[in-house]
Amino acid sequence: MNKKQILLINDMAGYGKVATAAMLPILSYFGHPTYNLPTALVSNTLDYGKFNLLDTTDYIKGVFPVWKELGFSFDAIATGFIASERQADIVSRYCLEQASTGTTIFVDPIMGDEGKLYNGVTPAAVKSMREMLSVAHLCYPNYTEACYLTGREYKAEGVTKDEAHNLLEHLRKIGSKSVLITSITVDGQPSVVGYNNIHNEYFKLCYDEIPVHFPGTGDIFSAILIGHLLDGESLKDSTRKAMDGVYKLIDLNKDNIDKNRGIPLEQYLNIL
C-alpha cells in the first residue's frame, strides 16, 4: 500500500501524551511517514493548572521558506493548537498554498470543552480557528468548539437532530468542505455527527461514554481518523474506527492514578 506523507502542525508538550506527542506515534504505527512543526512548546498538559508556553510563530515563519527552497511537500497536513492570530495567518496561507498542489488539509480547532475555553486559550483564538477552517478539507471540532466557531449557544443537555444538522451547516459556511462534530449529545445520545462533502452524506454515530477525563483523547481520535482516511477508507468508517479506538484506550486506562499526563499510548498501539 502506498503510504502518505503527513505534516503535523500542533503544539508539543514536554510532559504528557497530547497533541504532537500523541499523534506522531499513532500515525507512524499506521506506516505513514510523519513530520512535525510545533506551534508552541508547552511544559506539560494544561490540566495541571500551571504551565509554561513558548509561542513558536517566528520559528515557523523561518521554516516555510527553507522547506520551499528544499522542495519539501506533503500529501496531507493536520493542524491543531494555534498559538496566535499571527500564527494562524502564516499557517493558513501555507496550507492554502499546499492545498493548491493537491495536499489534503485536516483542521482540529483545539480551543475548549464542556462549554468553556481551555486554560490559557483566549477569545482571539476563535477568530484564528475560523481562519484555519476556511482552508480545511475536513474539520472536526467538539461540540463546545463548534458553538464558539459559529456563535451558537452551548447547551449542556445537548441538542436535537435538527440542531446538530444546523451546526454542521454553519461550520460548512465558514469554509470546511467536510465536517465532523465530536462529543455532542444528540437526542440524549453521546454522538459524533458528520457531513461528507464527497458523497453529500450526513451521518450520526453514537457511542457509550466512560465517565473519566484524559487530556489528549481528541488528538488520539484525530490520528486514528486521519490514519484510516489516508489509507483510502470512507469518512464514516474512519470516524467509527477512531471512536472505537479512543473508547478502548480510555477503558484500558480508566484506573490510572495520574490521568493529567494522558494515555501512555506506546504500549497499546497494537490494538489500534
Side-chain angles (χ1 to χ4, degrees):
M1 188 182 290
N2 182 28
K3 292 294 182 177
K4 303 292 174 64
Q5 298 200 97
I6 179 165
L7 170 66
L8 305 179
I9 303 181
N10 207 342
D11 66 289
M12 176 62 86
Y15 189 90
K17 289 292 173 185
V18 298
T20 302
M23 295 182 71
L24 206 153
I26 294 171
L27 284 160
S28 296
Y29 185 79
F30 268 74
H32 299 294
T34 308
Y35 308 90
N36 72 89
L37 183 65
T39 55
L41 301 178
V42 193
S43 57
N44 45 267
T45 64
L46 307 187
D47 297 69
Y48 286 103
K50 218 178 245 190
F51 60 91
N52 185 42
L53 184 148
L54 175 67
D55 180 333
T56 58
T57 302
D58 289 335
Y59 165 73
I60 290 172
K61 192 178 180 184
V63 167
F64 291 147
V66 173
W67 284 359
K68 190 171 185 178
E69 192 177 326
L70 293 170
F72 293 167
S73 63
F74 308 95
D75 298 298
I77 297 172
T79 73
F81 177 76
I82 297 293
S84 65
E85 287 184 62
R86 178 169 165 252
Q87 189 179 91
D89 180 58
I90 293 166
V91 171
S92 62
R93 277 192 281 115
Y94 178 74
C95 287
L96 193 61
E97 184 184 289
Q98 294 300 301
S100 69
T101 64
T103 301
T104 303
I105 311 298
F106 300 104
V107 174
D108 183 1
I110 298 168
M111 294 185 294
D113 202 1
E114 297 174 351
K116 57 187 185 295
L117 295 174
Y118 289 132
N119 188 8
V121 177
T122 66
V126 179
K127 186 178 176 187
S128 299
M129 285 307 183
R130 285 196 188 111
E131 192 170 346
M132 294 306 308
L133 253 64
S134 70
V135 300
H137 291 94
L138 171 66
C139 73
Y140 33 96
N142 61 33
Y143 173 46
T144 296
E145 292 156 348
C147 289
Y148 272 101
L149 288 163
T150 61
R152 293 296 181 275
E153 179 194 355
Y154 175 87
K155 298 180 179 179
E157 72 278 11
V159 299
T160 64
K161 185 180 177 182
D162 286 344
E163 287 171 327
H165 184 277
N166 189 261
L167 209 47
L168 286 170
E169 291 305 293
H170 279 87
L171 286 166
R172 288 179 61 205
K173 283 177 187 172
I174 298 173
S176 185
K177 292 180 172 63
S178 294
V179 180
L180 297 175
I181 303 172
T182 66
S183 305
I184 183 170
T185 301
V186 182
D187 296 329
Q189 296 176 306
S191 308
V192 175
V193 295
Y195 170 76
N196 183 338
N197 171 66
I198 296 167
H199 300 118
N200 191 27
E201 171 196 28
Y202 293 88
F203 57 88
K204 181 182 87 161
L205 300 169
C206 301
Y207 63 92
D208 294 320
E209 207 161 34
I210 302 172
V212 295
H213 171 74
F214 283 98
T217 51
D219 304 301
I220 294 168
F221 173 89
S222 175
I224 301 171
L225 171 75
I226 291 169
H228 286 289
L229 288 171
L230 293 182
D231 280 343
E233 297 181 45
S234 73
L235 178 58
K236 187 176 179 180
D237 289 347
S238 299
T239 301
R240 181 81 263 175
K241 287 177 180 177
M243 293 163 69
D244 292 346
V246 170
Y247 182 90
K248 284 181 200 170
L249 288 170
I250 293 174
D251 191 43
L252 287 165
N253 290 273
K254 64 189 177 203
D255 297 324
N256 291 9
I257 294 167
D258 184 3
K259 295 180 176 63
N260 288 340
R261 71 175 67 170
I263 292 171
L265 286 163
E266 287 82 356
Q267 59 191 294
Y268 299 107
L269 291 172
N270 64 313
I271 73 163
L272 301 179

